[in-house]
Amino acid sequence: MHKINLILLGPPGAGKGTQADRISEIYGIPHISTGDIFRENLKKGSELGLRAKEYMDRGELVPDEVVIGIVHDRLAEPDCERGFVLDGFPRTVAQADALKEMLAGTGRGIDHVLNIRVPDEVVVERLTARRTCRACGAIYHLVFNPPKEEGRCDSCGGELYVRDDDREETVRARLEEYEAKTQPLIAYYRGEGLLRDIEGDADMEAVLANIRKVLG
Ligand code: ADP
Ligand code: ADP
Ligand code: ZN
């Protein structure tokens, strides 16, 4: 199978994690979520996790130098030789520049940037009813993607919880961060000819079908 390097862009709640899981399965490439990496580190109580938590709890972005180092190390792992789907990275122009540099020596850049578009009201509705598996990170929604058994993960039986940053006040702060710091990446990647708009305000299967059309 040929290699494919993808970025999923979009506001919090756009469905990046949900679609990245499916893309990962279909195309056999690792799903790399910087948010998941921070939450795993926090669970272990590592210094990185504690440092990231300060920012995450306020709905702010973790400083670029912290995030860039993590992604640099992750992309050096052997499973990324087959490609990857990045979910939640890059989130700033500095991160996008750093990513370009990381890939420069590999002979293969980014193939597509999928920009998942959803209105702000939808974001709030999705995030306030999101449930996340504490053990494996699987993503559920109380209405749109409920687990078979309340409070339990279908795939691993782990406990489902509400992320601290999914409370409405924090969601608003995250949306502001998105607009100020991440939205400029739309023009950045459009300028490179890599941007593909995906209508995200549709059911999960329809969004996936649109993505597959772009990826071929
Ligand atoms: P992101 O990673 O962009 O923050 P998620 O994939 O975690 O987004 O999705 C946010 C919430 O919305 C989750 O509860 C998820 O189950 C739900 N969700 C994702 N895609 C859709 C969709 N197309 N329609 C309805 N709900 C969705
Ligand atoms: P969502 O899926 O809802 O968009 P994430 O799990 O991707 O949320 O991110 C949660 C939080 O982790 C962010 O609000 C931010 O504090 C931090 N974070 C994740 N990725 C990055 C990144 N690339 N740069 C800076 N902070 C990040
Ligand atoms: Zn689970």
Side-chain angles (χ1 to χ4, degrees):
M1 182 123 99
H2 71 273
K3 192 170 152 161
I4 183 160
N5 294 343
L6 297 176
I7 293 173
L8 297 191
L9 198 62
K16 301 181 298 296
T18 300
Q19 297 299 333
D21 274 338
R22 298 181 181 204
I23 293 168
S24 165
E25 213 171 287
I26 295 167
Y27 294 88
I29 52 178
H31 170 188
I32 302 174
S33 158
T34 39
D36 283 351
I37 294 172
F38 291 138
R39 284 182 289 277
E40 279 156 21
N41 272 277
L42 184 60
K43 198 162 66 177
K44 287 192 292 203
S46 76
E47 200 180 313
L48 169 69
L50 294 171
R51 177 143 188 234
K53 181 179 158 55
E54 268 179 60
Y55 297 92
M56 293 168 87
D57 282 352
R58 291 196 296 262
E60 291 170 13
L61 294 184
V62 175
D64 286 332
E65 64 274 17
V66 176
V67 190
I68 289 167
I70 287 168
V71 173
H72 179 272
D73 293 350
R74 182 64 188 86
L75 291 180
E77 301 273 326
D79 61 339
C80 294
E81 280 163 21
R82 280 170 294 148
F84 51 78
V85 51
L86 281 171
D87 156 19
F89 182 93
R91 264 177 153 104
T92 63
V93 169
Q95 291 178 18
D97 285 338
L99 177 64
K100 207 188 286 180
E101 219 165 280
M102 287 175 219
L103 297 175
T106 69
R108 184 76 192 250
I110 294 298
D111 296 297
H112 301 287
V113 177
L114 305 175
N115 178 38
I116 308 183
R117 296 157 54 99
V118 291
D120 287 4
E121 320 82 79
V122 171
V123 163
V124 175
E125 179 190 43
R126 285 191 185 174
L127 293 185
T128 48
R130 171 159 68 183
R131 294 295 181 271
T132 305
C133 175
R134 218 181 262 290
C136 78
I139 305 160
Y140 297 88
H141 187 281
L142 293 182
V143 179
F144 305 123
N145 183 29
K148 295 197 179 72
E149 189 191 332
E150 199 187 314
R152 291 272 146 226
C153 176
D154 292 352
S155 49
C156 82
E159 179 208 358
L160 302 186
Y161 78 113
V162 180
R163 277 171 46 179
D164 283 343
D165 59 347
D166 279 346
R167 283 166 296 120
E168 187 158 347
E169 322 81 77
T170 318
V171 169
R172 300 273 170 212
R174 287 160 66 200
L175 276 171
E176 279 169 28
E177 281 284 85
Y178 170 78
E179 269 157 37
K181 297 181 180 160
T182 308
Q183 203 146 261
L185 292 181
I186 295 175
Y188 179 106
Y189 284 120
R190 186 170 280 133
E192 307 217 321
L194 297 175
L195 198 82
R196 305 282 180 272
D197 281 318
I198 301 288
E199 172 57 59
D201 190 11
D203 69 59
M204 293 172 199
E205 295 312 320
V207 177
L208 181 63
N210 285 334
I211 291 175
R212 294 191 73 164
K213 240 183 271 167
V214 168
L215 300 185

